[in-house]
Amino acid sequence: GESVGLHLPTLSVQEGDNSIINCAYSNSASDYFIWYKQESGKGPQFIIDIRSNMDKRQGQRVTVLLNKTVKHLSLQIAATQPGDSAVYFCAESDMRFGAGTRLTVKP
Amino acid sequence: DTGVSQNPRHKITKRGQNVTFRCDPISEHNRLYWYRQTLGQGPEFLTYFQNEAQLEKSRLLSDRFSAERPKGSFSTLEIQRTEQGDSAMYLCASSPVGTNTGELFFGEGSRLTVL
């Protein structure tokens, strides 16, 4: 993903709404892509991954979409909850991370 | 707790001093990674080990930085002659070989402040 300097992209949603977090990746040879969630003061935590031969994968309340044509990855969170507030990072199979998006959920 | 453990959690040092961080990975995880994270940024890859072999080092890892994993278990990251620009969170992660997901298990990090 591209660096955005000191300011993370931010997304603010209302509790119960769906959230969509986007990521642009650079290496078209990556075998898989991973989404991580990082809460304040903690290390990143694995959410879901997708292999490069797939275009969609679903987990519990989360869906990841992969568009290899435009090198784009998205994470959809259904019925967003206050506990989903965190910074979300995508990573490629070479274990390089994107810049992240800060998600804030308003009650 | 059998997660990744990092020590110390916080370190404040004066410029020019040396610091060392330790990471104890999850037992039987062959791969161990070090990352650096500054405020508002994603984790930046520094280096990774498979067992005791250091297989990759980032260009970010200047000659003041050295990492070891002598017995293929715990790892240390040493920063010599620290500079204010070294202030960051240093994250360690581990993963087993052969996993299909590439999931990394992160520790809580070691925060370094260089005065």
Side-chain angles (χ1 to χ4, degrees):
Chain A
E2 294 183 4
S3 171
V4 292
L6 293 177
H7 302 288
L8 282 173
T10 58
L11 175 65
S12 183
V13 301
Q14 205 70 38
E15 181 179 359
D17 287 351
N18 296 335
S19 302
I20 300 176
I21 300 169
N22 298 303
C23 176
Y25 65 89
S26 54
N27 186 1
S28 57
S30 292
D31 293 327
Y32 50 83
F33 304 87
I34 312 152
W35 280 100
Y36 287 88
K37 172 185 180 183
Q38 186 174 28
E39 297 176 88
S40 181
K42 296 185 177 180
Q45 183 177 23
F46 174 90
I47 302 172
I48 190 169
D49 68 332
I50 186 168
R51 297 202 68 85
S52 59
N53 60 357
M54 303 169 68
D55 52 23
K56 181 179 180 179
R57 188 170 188 211
Q58 288 185 294
Q60 186 176 13
R61 283 202 306 119
V62 295
T63 301
V64 57
L65 299 178
L66 175 62
N67 185 333
K68 294 183 286 293
T69 303
V70 295
K71 296 184 185 177
H72 183 267
L73 195 64
S74 69
L75 177 71
Q76 300 178 2
I77 305 174
T80 317
Q81 303 168 359
D84 295 326
S85 293
V87 179
Y88 289 80
F89 297 100
C90 65
E92 301 180 45
S93 50
D94 62 359
M95 302 307 171
R96 265 67 172 181
F97 282 69
T101 297
R102 182 179 300 282
L103 174 66
T104 302
V105 181
K106 295 176 288 187
Chain B
D1 190 324
T2 57
V4 177
S5 176
Q6 292 189 246
N7 289 287
R9 292 292 312 280
H10 303 275
K11 178 70 176 180
I12 300 173
T13 191
K14 292 183 179 179
R15 189 176 54 184
Q17 299 294 304
N18 299 343
V19 296
T20 299
F21 299 114
R22 175 176 169 131
C23 172
D24 287 89
I26 292 172
S27 179
E28 299 178 356
H29 277 193
N30 308 84
R31 291 181 175 159
L32 187 148
Y33 300 78
W34 284 101
Y35 289 84
R36 178 173 65 191
Q37 186 175 29
T38 53
L39 193 64
Q41 298 290 312
E44 294 175 300
F45 172 83
L46 294 179
T47 189
Y48 104 91
F49 293 84
Q50 182 159 312
N51 299 314
E52 66 275 9
Q54 187 172 20
L55 297 186
E56 190 174 350
K57 289 172 60 174
S58 166
R59 286 173 294 175
L60 294 173
L61 212 64
S62 77
D63 56 7
R64 295 186 299 105
F65 288 68
S66 62
E68 295 182 343
R69 195 182 184 197
K71 297 181 180 179
S73 56
F74 73 92
S75 175
T76 57
L77 176 69
E78 181 183 17
I79 309 173
Q80 296 182 324
R81 304 181 302 282
T82 52
E83 301 171 358
Q84 288 184 324
D86 297 331
S87 295
M89 176 74 83
Y90 290 85
L91 292 164
C92 177
S94 68
S95 72
V97 171
T99 177
N100 290 327
T101 69
E103 176 183 355
L104 297 181
F105 296 79
F106 281 86
E108 302 274 87
S110 292
R111 182 170 295 284
L112 173 64
T113 301
V114 182
L115 302 176

